[in-house]
Amino acid sequence: MRKVLSSRSIKVAVFAWCLVPLGLLVWRAFHHHLTANPIEYITHQTGDWTIIFIVITLAVTPARKLLRLPELIRFRRMLGLFAFSYGFLHFSTWIGLDKFFDWAEMLHDVRKRPFITAGFTGFALMIPLAVTSTAGWIRRLGGKRWLTLHRLIYVTAVAGVVHYYWLVKSDVRKPLFYGALVALLLALRVGLWLFARRGKPAPDRPLERKLTTAETVRLAR
Ligand code: HEM
């Protein structure tokens, strides 16, 4: 398993899988299958995939620790950048196709419509994470500060769930489902942190401790 996760081909395969939702959207656009309301369809698809990628990205660290598979971290940056990219498409659809670049109306929406305020906050917080996702930025900030900054992903996740919850009119099952996943992943983090504080892991069990800056840089490549 660890050998597979370390291979280049699995990274390429995961990358290709991440492109599938976009590919399907493009395919549907070319075949006029974007439903009677294409803007709404694109907004909903890209919104769904943004929250899905955020949750998958959040799951990487707990999975790495619980399954003792440090190689999983190789996928975290890629998954996070896909979350950002789908978020960018989602936001761009709203700007260009929904609002036709009417900046005054957009500003009004961001200030007056709570679900837009929450979505906007979530997306805005992803920008520094995407910018500092490179190995150079990990080194420049140092592992500890970089990790602290990247905890913003939890705020983004909560904002994304709130955004979803506030925008649905009646059936709140899906936003509640994502909310439960985010809560579970947060609780796992806290649990693992408390567990790690109880005793120093032996040096020969590096999988159970936090990664150093150099390890993060090396594995994030
Ligand atoms: C972390 C950032 C965000 C996440 C995770 C997110 C997620 C979602 C999700 C899951 C949906 C519903 C999809 C469905 O019903 O299947 C949605 C809808 C929507 N989002 Fe976002 N979103 C984010 C940011 C934004 C931003 C920045 C804007 C615009 C400023 C925005 C505008 C909208 C709109 C207009 C809808 C459709 C609302 C409706 O149908 O009434 N979102 N978003």
Side-chain angles (χ1 to χ4, degrees), residues 77-198:
R77 177 169 62 165
M78 189 204 302
L79 292 164
L81 285 174
F82 269 105
F84 175 75
S85 307
Y86 282 104
F88 181 74
L89 286 177
H90 184 61
F91 187 41
S92 307
T93 308
W94 182 73
I95 293 179
L97 302 179
D98 198 359
K99 298 289 164 188
F100 297 110
F101 300 98
D102 184 340
W103 302 107
E105 198 187 319
M106 282 189 259
L107 201 66
H108 178 268
D109 271 8
V110 170
R111 283 166 44 185
K112 299 282 177 202
R113 300 182 72 189
F115 90 89
I116 294 286
T117 315
F120 186 79
T121 307
F123 179 70
L125 293 178
M126 287 169 99
I127 299 171
L129 305 189
V131 170
T132 60
S133 67
T134 59
W137 270 104
I138 300 174
R139 265 191 231 103
R140 216 166 296 154
L141 290 173
K144 215 170 166 189
R145 262 193 293 170
W146 186 85
L147 282 172
T148 307
L149 174 70
H150 279 249
R151 287 200 185 107
L152 276 180
I153 186 75
Y154 280 102
V155 186
T156 287
V158 172
V161 169
V162 171
H163 165 70
Y164 198 179
Y165 185 81
W166 278 344
L167 74 88
V168 292
K169 269 98 199 158
S170 52
D171 189 354
V172 290
R173 275 178 300 177
K174 271 173 80 178
L176 284 183
F177 170 71
Y178 287 114
L181 283 180
V182 171
L184 175 74
L185 291 168
L186 248 175
L188 268 177
R189 279 253 172 157
V190 174
L192 285 165
W193 178 74
L194 288 174
F195 187 72
R197 264 172 51 121
R198 279 180 36 198

